[in-house]
Amino acid sequence: YVDGQAGPFEQLKGQSALGQMHTVLSREVLGLKPDAVLGLSSGETNAILAMDLWDDLEIFLGEIANSGMYDLELAGEYRSVRKYWEREGEDVRSWADWRLLAPLDRVREIISGERLVRLTIINTLADCVIGGEPAACERVIERIGRENAIPLGHSMAVHCPEVGEFADTWRRLHTRRTAPAPAGVRFYSNYLGGAYEPTADSIAEALTGQALTTIDMPRIIAQAYAEGVRVVVEHGPRGLLSGWISDILGEREHLAVAFDAPGDSLRRAYFAAGQLLAAGVPVQLEALRFAEPADEPRSGFVRTYPAHRPPIRITETLMPQQPSDVQIMTPPPALAPVLFNDAPDQVATNG
């Protein structure tokens, strides 16, 4: 912890725990049967764990802690970052990460003149993340407009070439005893740009490649959509990804729901289950009768297009984790019936 706030490694452990809990909710409580698994950033690793391809989470986290990833190499002392830039004749001793709410083309144009700044994640064509030397990032923000910039808090160098100094260790950490993938479930890789057969070696390649290169969420969502994914169930904190997916897909037929959002988590579970049921997804709704949600005003809505469709199959995706503010929308009554008074041909879960 830093100044009483959770650091990157503590955030990772919390995100992972929540993602695993959401997987139990979706698969064991609600009875959802995924056709595909997607993940963003550490969510791609969480997906491997949640789908039981790896069964050693505690050992895995212990090895990460002992590797120095979060306190010596990619955060904390930033040794790998310093080594990378020393060879380029630059003295870079720190790192900053920012979410930018600005057109992607404009961001690319500005950072093209800042060699110490990287485009690390593309959430949508108007929402992305940059990372780099703090002063260089500040120059980018001044040109973009500070009102369009959100600091991500405790920063970590990832999804960029600087990870190369740590790549061998990263690959070793992510080369683990791997169980066969469940029959009929596709696993997607941001680095590979589509579905792949998960083995010990291919998972290590996918996760190491993702750490070294920019994540392009519109690309992987478009690929999954082209291959039949229509419903996405987001696992993990904050519920941002479902909104990004709707921004990416626009008016194309889809449903994106999240199990987490600011407010009452139990109410969010009822709300997500109700939306899935209304869309024709088989849901064991009676399993939620163990508790009643608090009597509160309607708090939120995840967009769905169109309102009426035939029954759909399901895919799972675990996604993360970018801290930020969230705009919550209220649904038109005709668009998405809401059960419990609030808030694809395939279904996908994200975390």
Side-chain angles (χ1 to χ4, degrees):
Y1 286 76
V2 179
D3 297 328
Q5 301 295 316
F9 188 46
E10 284 69 32
Q11 292 175 12
L12 172 73
K13 291 188 286 187
Q15 292 157 5
S16 180
L18 184 60
Q20 310 311 307
M21 184 185 73
H22 284 161
T23 301
V24 172
L25 172 63
S26 64
R27 301 180 70 194
E28 299 181 19
V29 178
L30 298 179
L32 303 183
K33 301 184 187 308
D35 297 298
V37 179
L38 311 175
L40 175 66
S41 190
S42 63
E44 193 167 310
T45 307
N46 284 336
I48 300 297
L49 289 156
M51 296 300 290
D52 299 322
L53 273 66
W54 293 348
D55 62 359
D56 59 347
L57 174 59
E58 291 302 320
I59 295 173
F60 177 52
L61 292 175
E63 290 175 358
I64 290 176
N66 292 333
S67 74
M69 179 189 299
Y70 282 92
D71 57 348
L72 300 176
E73 299 294 338
L74 305 180
E77 296 184 13
Y78 297 104
R79 291 178 182 175
S80 292
V81 174
R82 292 166 63 181
K83 290 176 186 175
Y84 177 92
W85 282 110
E86 280 174 2
R87 290 202 309 273
E88 302 293 324
E90 299 281 358
D91 184 19
V92 178
R93 297 177 175 271
S94 188
W95 191 268
D97 291 309
W98 291 81
R99 180 181 172 201
L100 302 182
L101 306 180
L104 180 61
D105 288 345
R106 176 62 175 157
V107 173
R108 288 187 188 276
E109 175 189 354
I110 292 174
I111 67 174
S112 66
E114 293 286 354
R115 71 189 300 251
L116 302 183
V117 177
R118 306 291 192 185
L119 177 64
T120 57
I121 302 177
I122 303 169
N123 297 321
T124 73
L125 296 182
D127 188 329
C128 65
V129 177
I130 64 168
E133 194 276 326
C137 288
E138 285 290 335
R139 291 193 293 270
V140 172
I141 291 165
E142 287 301 318
R143 296 183 63 185
I144 287 289
R146 193 160 295 276
E147 69 279 6
N148 300 316
I150 303 168
L152 295 191
H154 301 297
S155 296
M156 175 181 178
V158 68
H159 312 310
C160 57
E162 285 83 345
V163 179
E165 299 293 328
F166 190 71
D168 289 345
T169 301
W170 186 289
R171 184 180 296 275
R172 176 179 55 78
L173 288 168
H174 293 87
T175 302
R176 315 195 71 78
R177 183 184 63 207
T178 301
V185 179
R186 298 194 307 279
F187 285 74
Y188 283 83
S189 160
N190 289 295
Y191 172 63
L192 300 175
Y196 73 109
E197 182 66 29
T199 65
D201 289 340
S202 67
I203 290 172
E205 175 68 14
L207 296 178
T208 303
Q210 178 184 240
L212 287 161
T213 57
T214 302
I215 289 179
D216 188 340
M217 188 173 167
R219 180 184 69 158
I220 198 68
I221 294 301
Q223 183 64 32
Y225 191 88
E227 294 174 357
V229 171
R230 294 294 181 273
V231 175
V232 178
V233 182
E234 180 181 347
H235 294 49
R238 297 188 177 275
L240 295 179
L241 290 162
S242 49
W244 294 336
I245 289 168
S246 287
D247 287 342
I248 291 165
L249 295 177
E251 295 296 323
R252 284 175 284 182
E253 182 183 47
H254 73 281
L255 172 66
V257 302
F259 283 142
D260 190 58
D264 187 331
S265 294
L266 179 58
R267 177 174 290 275
R268 172 56 56 178
Y270 273 87
F271 177 61
Q275 281 199 288
L276 292 169
L277 185 68
V281 177
V283 177
Q284 295 174 176
L285 205 58
E286 65 278 2
L288 291 179
R289 292 178 181 170
F290 62 87
E292 292 295 330
D295 185 15
E296 299 175 357
R298 177 182 297 169
S299 63
F301 163 66
V302 179
R303 287 164 283 181
T304 173
Y305 305 97
H308 305 290
R309 71 185 75 218
I312 39 191
R313 297 173 20 202
I314 297 182
T315 38
E316 255 190 62
T317 309
L318 294 156
M319 297 167 107
Q321 1 272 53
Q322 299 298 336
S324 70
D325 54 352
V326 182
Q327 182 178 3
I328 298 177
M329 304 175 64
T330 302
L335 185 61
V338 179
L339 304 182
F340 311 110
N341 193 37
D342 195 79
D345 296 296
Q346 301 179 41
V347 179
T349 56
N350 291 270

